[in-house]
Amino acid sequence: LVMGVVFWPGRSHAPAAVAHNAPPHAIIVLPMQVDGAGTAAWARLGMMDFVVDRLRRANQPVWSSEATLALLRTRDRAGDPQRVRHDTQANWIVESRARNVPEGWDVTMTATDASGRVRNGAAQNADLVAATRLASDRLLVGIGAASPSVALDAPDLDERLQRAQSALLANDPDAAQALLLGATPAQQKTPLWQFRAAQVDLAAGRFVGGIERLSRLLHTDAFKKDAPLRSQAYALQGMLLVRLDRFADAERSYEQAIELLGATTDASSLGRALIGRGAARMAQGRFDDALADLGRARIQLTRAGDRLSVAKVDGNLGILEMQRDHPQQAVAAFEKAERDFQA
């Protein structure tokens, strides 16, 4: 039951409206509009997730791709920016468009805040990922943020990884696996490829293989220099360990993720890591510690406006109160979670 609530599929049922107490500077990135070559259809979700990661690495409070897609499932697939702002109270709404031109790709990005201010970023490049990276960095300058400094992989690997992420967002781990296996042997040794492969392992139920892959990856020197990716890897490792009932090990993995995320403004990722650690502690019978984690998680996720994850907190609180023989409190928590999940 704990497993079911903690890892309730984020894309299956969406909130009709997200909490209206999101931070005023929160950013939501809508799926990219793609004009031109049909082979670039993957960019709709893949490039959205790429921009989200770029903003997160620049320490901007940005919604996860999963949370945005959950919201859009109650609306039209393209996403109405005004409706999104009404439902979420987020400030910046980022829209993007990629056009296939003779020189390669022309990418334009527009961010609009609640007061109507508009900031733009645009770039052209033969490679779609490179054009999107440059356009998003120019957009970051417009909203007053510094571009993240990260090592760049080969352009074709960047595209392959985003294609695989697009397949995962579309719940197709087999397609993601096939895309990853098409990379060269050298590319398959890179940290980003290994991390994406571990995500596919989780989606495909290969829990032991995913843990072994991440354990090797987390001890490499190159990976230790990338704090945002490392925090994601520890949280992913925690998910895999929970699925194997290795709750003490999962708790340690989540602790590593929480420590790294504490120095960032990524409230949504921090909140989800706290849910994971709370569930691991609950499974070990440490109810007071679990309650403290769930309370912190609720604060972070409310800050992020992530109502879907707040519902997961309430579901876990219901389970916790049942285990502590407090059925009345459990009913209240379950009823609130039920309302939010139903929405």
Side-chain angles (χ1 to χ4, degrees):
L1 195 57
V2 171
M3 291 277 291
V5 173
V6 173
F7 302 107
W8 193 283
R11 325 195 237 313
S12 296
H13 300 285
V18 180
H20 283 253
N21 49 8
H25 54 295
I27 302 171
I28 291 179
V29 180
L30 298 179
M32 177 177 277
Q33 301 301 307
V34 184
D35 301 331
T39 56
W42 62 271
R44 179 179 179 275
L45 301 183
M47 287 297 94
M48 174 187 70
D49 193 70
F50 179 83
V51 175
V52 166
D53 182 67
R54 203 76 182 148
L55 292 170
R56 183 181 292 120
R57 287 172 177 272
N59 285 325
Q60 297 302 299
V62 59
W63 274 38
S64 70
S65 301
E66 291 84 356
T68 299
L69 291 175
L71 177 67
L72 294 181
R73 274 175 170 75
T74 66
R75 311 297 177 205
D76 62 281
R77 287 281 182 167
D80 178 356
Q82 291 184 347
R83 183 70 196 202
V84 169
R85 193 187 310 284
H86 174 269
D87 287 347
T88 65
Q89 297 297 296
N91 188 20
W92 293 105
I93 306 294
V94 177
E95 301 173 81
S96 60
R97 180 176 295 275
R99 293 187 304 113
N100 198 198
V101 296
E103 296 78 15
W105 289 96
D106 179 85
V107 174
T108 57
M109 304 184 68
T110 302
T112 308
D113 74 359
S115 65
R117 287 186 304 160
V118 177
R119 297 292 183 266
N120 298 295
Q124 278 194 0
N125 196 282
D127 176 69
L128 176 56
V129 176
T132 304
R133 178 187 290 114
L134 185 54
S136 63
D137 287 355
R138 289 172 177 169
L139 185 72
L140 279 167
V141 173
I143 64 177
S147 299
S149 176
V150 295
L152 304 180
D153 290 308
D156 62 326
L157 177 59
D158 285 344
E159 179 175 320
R160 185 175 296 277
L161 293 174
Q162 289 308 132
R163 283 175 179 263
Q165 179 65 358
S166 179
L168 285 175
L169 290 170
N171 290 317
D172 192 348
D174 290 339
Q177 175 80 357
L179 284 162
L180 291 178
L181 292 178
T184 67
Q187 290 172 339
Q188 293 184 24
K189 295 178 181 179
T190 62
L192 279 173
W193 189 97
Q194 291 290 331
F195 175 74
R196 192 71 81 223
Q199 288 181 308
V200 174
D201 289 336
L202 173 65
R206 296 188 293 269
F207 305 141
V208 174
I211 290 170
E212 292 174 349
R213 186 189 304 278
L214 286 173
S215 296
R216 293 191 299 269
L217 182 60
L218 285 164
H219 287 89
T220 61
D221 291 337
F223 201 71
K224 291 177 181 178
K225 299 175 183 178
D226 192 336
L229 188 58
R230 199 161 76 252
S231 68
Q232 294 179 56
Y234 277 120
L236 179 59
Q237 186 179 60
M239 293 182 199
L240 289 159
L241 289 164
V242 164
R243 281 161 166 76
L244 293 172
D245 296 340
R246 293 172 55 182
F247 300 115
D249 292 335
E251 179 183 356
R252 286 189 288 271
S253 291
Y254 280 118
E255 283 175 353
Q256 296 282 352
I258 290 165
E259 182 178 349
L260 289 166
L261 288 165
T264 73
T265 57
D266 189 357
S268 185
S269 293
L270 177 57
R272 291 195 299 272
L274 285 163
I275 292 177
R277 188 174 71 175
R281 287 174 165 179
M282 197 191 315
Q284 297 174 76
R286 292 164 47 204
F287 301 136
D288 289 342
D289 290 339
L291 185 62
D293 275 347
L294 294 176
R296 285 183 61 195
R298 170 178 272 282
I299 292 171
Q300 294 297 326
L301 294 165
T302 299
R303 280 182 53 211
D306 189 348
R307 183 179 173 189
L308 186 63
S309 293
V310 171
K312 296 177 186 179
V313 173
D314 291 330
N316 275 279
L317 287 172
I319 294 171
L320 179 58
E321 295 297 355
M322 286 292 290
Q323 293 185 347
R324 287 165 20 127
D325 295 325
H326 297 160
Q328 289 184 328
Q329 292 92 325
V331 167
F334 282 135
E335 286 179 341
K336 185 178 184 307
E338 179 187 10
R339 288 193 300 271
D340 288 341
F341 278 128
Q342 180 62 40

